[in-house]
């Protein structure tokens, strides 16, 4: 069960390399350049309302591009960067758009560095005896790429993250993955 969780939260700052990687074969060297820190994936149980709060906290430095902007899987959320800090997430739903109750417990995968800095350090772990059972991020990525083969990367706009309002008059909408 290395990859079986409801939600994945990965901060943009964990993706490095400071370059555009060319299309084509994805090598272990390229993956390691993108994720050089040796982080591991921790899996735990978290209530949806706490996930919303966490995403809000990580959006506090949205304007300064601090690297804490969360990339998500298993969820979609809408946020207003002009709203006051702590109140920017305006909607949190399952990835398919279905409503999500704030008291719903979900399994979450995140890197150990951000887990250690979070309020979730005391949460019950999912499919792990201790944090020492965490899978290195690089090994998980290698396994995923190998299993997916040539269909591994197929970029598409999925609307998991929606920023609104956008523009000088507050209108518009920008979607991201």
């Amino acid at each position: 069960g290395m990859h079986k969780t409801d939600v994945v939260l990965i901060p943009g700052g964990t993706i490095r390399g400071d370059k555009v990687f060319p299309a084509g074969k994805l090598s272990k060297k390229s993956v390691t350049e993108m994720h050089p820190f040796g982080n591991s994936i921790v899996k735990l149980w978290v209530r949806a309302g706490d996930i919303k709060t966490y995403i809000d906290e990580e959006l506090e430095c949205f304007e300064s591009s601090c690297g804490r902007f969360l990339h998500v899987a298993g969820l979609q959320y809408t946020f207003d960067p002009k709203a006051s800090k702590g109140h920017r997430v305006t909607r949190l739903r399952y990835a398919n758009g279905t409503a999500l109750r704030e008291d719903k417990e979900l399994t979450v995968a995140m890197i150990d560095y951000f887990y250690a800095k979070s309020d979730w350090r005391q949460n019950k772990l999912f499919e792990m005896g201790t944090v020492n059972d965490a899978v290195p991020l690089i090994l998980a990525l290698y396994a995923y790429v190998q299993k997916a083969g040539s269909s591994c990367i197929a970029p598409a706009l999925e609307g998991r993250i929606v920023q609104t309002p956008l523009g000088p008059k507050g209108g518009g909408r920008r979607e991201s993955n």
Side-chain angles (χ1 to χ4, degrees):
M2 181 163 47
H3 308 291
K4 295 188 175 32
T5 59
D6 299 314
V7 175
V8 178
L9 304 172
I10 299 287
T14 65
I15 303 167
R16 297 296 172 108
D18 202 21
K19 67 179 185 179
V20 174
F21 292 89
K25 261 193 149 176
L26 186 62
S27 69
K28 286 186 177 182
K29 179 182 177 194
S30 297
V31 173
T32 304
E33 286 176 10
M34 287 181 226
H35 298 283
F37 301 115
N39 295 113
S40 292
I41 301 169
V42 177
K43 300 185 297 182
L44 59 152
W45 289 96
V46 181
R47 283 181 38 249
D50 294 332
I51 294 171
K52 182 179 177 188
T53 299
Y54 183 71
I55 293 170
D56 246 326
E57 290 168 357
E58 299 306 293
L59 285 169
E60 285 185 9
C61 62
F62 175 73
E63 299 85 359
S64 62
S65 301
C66 69
R68 288 175 24 207
F69 185 85
L70 291 172
H71 299 271
V72 300
L75 294 176
Q76 62 174 237
Y77 69 90
T78 302
F79 76 101
D80 180 353
K82 305 253 185 253
S84 61
K85 292 179 180 181
H87 301 284
R88 292 183 172 176
V89 176
T90 57
R91 189 172 88 165
L92 181 69
R93 295 187 172 276
Y94 287 105
N96 66 7
T98 305
L100 182 58
R101 292 186 340 264
E102 290 208 0
D103 63 343
K104 173 71 176 165
E105 278 201 329
L106 301 167
T107 54
V108 174
M110 64 191 306
I111 62 169
D112 55 349
Y113 177 78
F114 278 83
Y115 166 74
K117 293 173 55 174
S118 77
D119 293 336
W120 298 346
R121 291 180 307 279
Q122 303 306 314
N123 284 34
K124 181 179 173 193
L125 296 174
F126 172 68
E127 292 186 347
M128 296 173 56
T130 71
V131 176
N132 293 332
D133 294 331
V135 174
L137 176 62
I138 292 294
L139 295 182
L141 287 170
Y142 293 162
Y144 179 80
V145 169
Q146 188 172 24
K147 182 179 178 183
S150 62
S151 65
C152 176
I153 299 176
L157 192 60
E158 296 177 2
R160 286 182 258 164
I161 303 168
V162 178
Q163 176 186 334
T164 185
L166 182 68
K169 297 187 180 186
R173 171 182 167 118
R174 179 174 23 188
E175 294 186 19
S176 177
N177 287 332

